[in-house]
Amino acid sequence: MPETPKISFRELTPSHSGVLVVLTDEGLRMGRVAGRALAPAGDLLARAAKAEGFKGKKAMALELIAPGGLAADRLIVMGVGKAKELKPSDWLKLGGAVMGKIPPAAKAVTILLELPGDKISAEAAADFALGLKLRAYRFDRYKTKRKEDDDKDRTPSAAIAIAVADPAQAKKRWQQRAAIAEGVVQARDLVNEPPNVLYPVEFARRAAALRKLGVAVEVLDVKAMKKLGMGALLGVGQGSAHDSRLVVMRWSGGNRKEPPLAIIGKGVCFDTGGISIKPAASMEDMKGDMAGAACVVGLMHALGLRKAKANVVGAIGLVENMPSATAQRPGDIVKSMSGQTIEIINTDAEGRLVLADVLWYVNKRFKPKFMIDLATLTGAIIVSLGQEYAGLFANDDKLSKRLAAAGEATGERVWRMPLGPEFDKMIDSKFADMKNTGGRHGGSITAAQFLERYVEKTPWAHLDIAGTAMGVQPSEINQSWAPGWGVRLLDRLIAEHYER
Ligand code: MN
Ligand code: ZN
């Protein structure tokens, strides 16, 4: 685990040292305690704000180095905009924006989390702290020549004290959020890892570390999967020097008789496309083709750590898709665990082959309340939705609506796409029960139709995260190539609807 800032909560008093952060609304109004903290500086702040044209707009900051009269060696005044218009989800982003202003070399930071008027809730303070933590993330373990003064790559390691109206409650809430932060960090780390390090067996080994948190972990090897008849998954991995794995993780925090919620992830540790090889440009990004599986591991991590009161099964299919003398060919016909046969048209449409067997296996073994799968499944979803929304496909309206609401609340947004028999027809095959591509038109939809043939009547949602889970624009709460997409979304869904 990388060094990250240490966060604590304390009473709202003006005392501070090192870096001092205060909030202001549009109109430059501050809370009483902040006012007292800044009083010794006289009109310094008003003059600086005027000189800078700083008005307290949301996520805009005014910075003063060694401000006269104050103990702080740096003062950061963070604007929140119109205080009345602040939404709960804004506190996460504000935390991220503040972290973005704290120099990585800072040792001690005091944040006076206060505005004029109503007290800032413990909930908001915990969200704010989550934003700090997520923004501070760096993936720098392979940088051996890191310069001490190169701030860009350094993980901030300051001790951050957040002064807030109700520190005891805030700390309690933070314990839950800290678990989520760790889950997101775990998912980011896995996605960022290079593919020579993180191949299926190694990925399974890292997932197995969840046992420390009380998560039951089973790892199925090639022999076990052969016995189960998982010809679709195994066909994808057969060209690789690295063996495939299926990992099943179980968190049992709910009632004993309650059927589990199942979360399934695509874990293609590297996707060359196989014999239908991809072009060279940006192929390195295909180390992220396991982001669905990374999300599942991160989620199980968060659930275990915060001792979620729900039964959740996470299952990930781990393979490497390589071209070689033993690789599967276009034209091959494989038999899935379900008994249904699949004609391989394009070996680069491999994710659905992996998921077909994992979905079927999970459904038969656990009879879950629902199944949600996450997969960097199609480039077509990026054409449709860009990188702001994941594609959502579902056979169940209630699950779909709950996911959409959790998406709005967390900022990990999903957009529902259609399914239907007209699309399903497009994957019928001349030689087998189905083929693994439906052609260019509606490529994300025909991929989802393929998956639907493996879920029977179980409520199911498929999230196509090819656009949201890697190579994203930096944001207030994420500066990394891999945002750890989906951990917060699914944690929220479970917390809101499925915990006793
Ligand atoms: Mn592919
Ligand atoms: Zn893929």
Side-chain angles (χ1 to χ4, degrees):
M1 190 109 334
E3 209 185 346
T4 54
K6 212 181 136 8
I7 292 173
S8 61
F9 294 88
R10 70 158 173 79
E11 297 289 340
L12 203 45
T13 65
S15 70
H16 64 271
S17 63
V19 178
L20 173 64
V21 182
V22 297
L23 306 183
T24 180
D25 71 357
E26 220 175 295
L28 300 183
R29 282 173 297 260
M30 291 181 194
R32 281 217 330 271
V33 176
R36 268 162 53 210
L38 300 185
D43 65 350
L44 183 66
L45 186 64
R47 281 167 51 210
K50 199 171 168 209
E52 279 282 286
F54 175 75
K55 300 211 169 64
K57 287 211 158 63
K58 193 192 283 180
M60 297 292 281
L62 178 69
E63 290 177 80
L64 283 90
I65 316 293
L70 300 188
D73 41 49
R74 179 184 292 256
L75 171 66
I76 300 168
V77 183
M78 178 57 68
V80 305
K82 296 201 171 67
K84 286 236 151 46
E85 290 172 13
L86 278 174
K87 298 189 296 288
S89 58
D90 287 331
W91 288 102
L92 179 79
K93 290 185 193 162
L94 272 172
V98 166
M99 194 69 231
K101 292 293 176 191
I102 294 173
K107 298 260 182 312
V109 179
T110 303
I111 302 174
L112 303 181
L113 205 61
E114 186 206 23
L115 282 169
D118 294 343
K119 281 181 191 162
I120 291 170
S121 70
E123 199 77 13
D127 281 337
F128 181 88
L130 179 59
L132 287 172
K133 198 88 169 174
L134 294 180
R135 175 63 178 257
Y137 174 85
R138 304 279 188 286
F139 186 76
D140 56 4
R141 65 181 61 156
Y142 296 101
K143 300 236 182 202
T144 66
K145 293 194 171 63
R146 206 181 326 155
K147 283 193 232 88
E148 269 306 296
D149 54 347
D150 185 358
D151 282 0
K152 203 163 67 24
D153 295 325
R154 285 186 67 192
T155 303
S157 57
I160 302 181
I162 303 176
V164 66
D166 193 345
Q169 276 300 320
K171 190 178 166 195
K172 220 168 122 189
R173 301 283 155 83
W174 169 237
Q175 275 162 1
Q176 301 283 306
R177 301 298 196 290
I180 298 168
E182 271 202 36
V184 175
V185 164
Q186 161 106 71
R188 287 178 180 176
D189 277 350
L190 288 168
V191 177
N192 281 323
E193 280 284 11
N196 58 327
V197 172
L198 196 73
Y199 45 90
V201 170
E202 171 61 16
F203 197 131
R205 199 183 63 76
R206 296 199 189 183
L210 288 171
R211 285 176 187 141
K212 280 197 296 248
L213 301 177
V215 176
V217 182
E218 290 166 71
V219 180
L220 279 67
D221 61 10
V222 171
K223 202 172 138 207
M225 288 189 277
K226 260 191 190 139
K227 215 170 144 193
L228 288 162
M230 294 188 170
L233 185 154
L234 290 170
V236 177
Q238 76 185 31
S240 170
H242 290 295
D243 275 351
S244 304
R245 289 289 183 271
L246 170 64
V247 180
V248 179
M249 297 153 272
R250 271 179 299 158
W251 173 253
S252 307
N255 290 324
R256 273 186 64 193
K257 290 204 175 115
E258 191 80 9
L261 318 172
I263 315 288
I264 288 121
K266 168 183 171 182
V268 177
C269 294
F270 194 74
D271 182 14
T272 62
I275 295 298
S276 314
I277 198 163
K278 291 174 183 291
S282 302
M283 201 202 273
E284 68 277 13
D285 287 351
M286 285 300 106
K287 71 174 184 175
D289 209 17
M290 32 53 75
C295 171
V296 176
V297 173
L299 174 71
M300 298 306 290
H301 188 113
L303 295 175
L305 207 55
R306 72 173 182 79
K307 305 207 182 316
K309 293 181 171 61
N311 299 331
V312 183
V313 170
I316 54 179
L318 302 170
V319 301
E320 184 181 57
N321 188 22
M322 297 293 273
S324 78
T326 61
Q328 79 179 350
R329 293 149 290 247
D332 281 4
I333 293 177
V334 296
K335 190 172 192 178
S336 65
M337 184 186 170
S338 72
Q340 300 177 97
T341 56
I342 305 158
E343 182 190 7
I344 309 299
I345 301 296
N346 187 320
T347 62
D348 196 10
E350 84 298 338
R352 68 201 69 182
L353 298 169
V354 173
L355 289 172
D357 278 337
V358 184
L359 285 165
W360 188 266
Y361 172 76
V362 168
N363 201 18
K364 288 294 151 190
R365 178 170 166 196
F366 296 104
K367 301 187 173 39
K369 184 176 275 178
F370 66 62
M371 297 198 284
I372 297 174
D373 76 75
L374 301 102
T376 48
L377 205 62
T378 68
I381 204 68
I382 312 177
V383 177
S384 307
L385 299 176
Q387 297 196 284
E388 296 305 318
Y389 288 83
L392 161 66
F393 302 82
N395 64 2
D396 186 271
D397 289 343
K398 189 165 95 179
L399 183 57
S400 167
K401 283 193 184 116
R402 286 177 170 183
L403 272 166
E408 288 302 323
T410 55
E412 294 187 327
R413 294 181 295 176
V414 299
W415 193 262
R416 192 169 184 182
M417 304 278 288
L419 290 166
E422 310 79 4
F423 296 112
D424 184 70
K425 251 189 354 220
M426 291 164 72
I427 54 168
D428 286 339
S429 155
K430 273 201 286 289
F431 299 104
D433 297 332
M434 69 197 81
K435 52 188 180 183
N436 79 328
T437 60
R440 267 174 59 79
H441 293 177
S444 306
I445 307 174
T446 50
Q449 293 294 161
F450 184 98
L451 300 181
E452 199 182 15
R453 293 190 183 198
Y454 295 86
V455 301
E456 297 189 305
K457 293 283 173 251
T458 303
W460 157 77
H462 156 58
L463 299 173
D464 194 335
I465 60 173
T468 55
M470 56 182 163
V472 296
Q473 291 294 319
S475 74
E476 287 101 331
I477 57 164
N478 176 57
Q479 299 285 303
S480 158
W481 184 75
W485 196 95
V487 174
R488 291 186 301 112
L489 170 78
L490 295 176
D491 182 85
R492 176 84 175 209
L493 175 82
I494 292 168
E496 205 143 87
H497 300 289
Y498 301 99
E499 290 195 49
R500 66 177 160 82

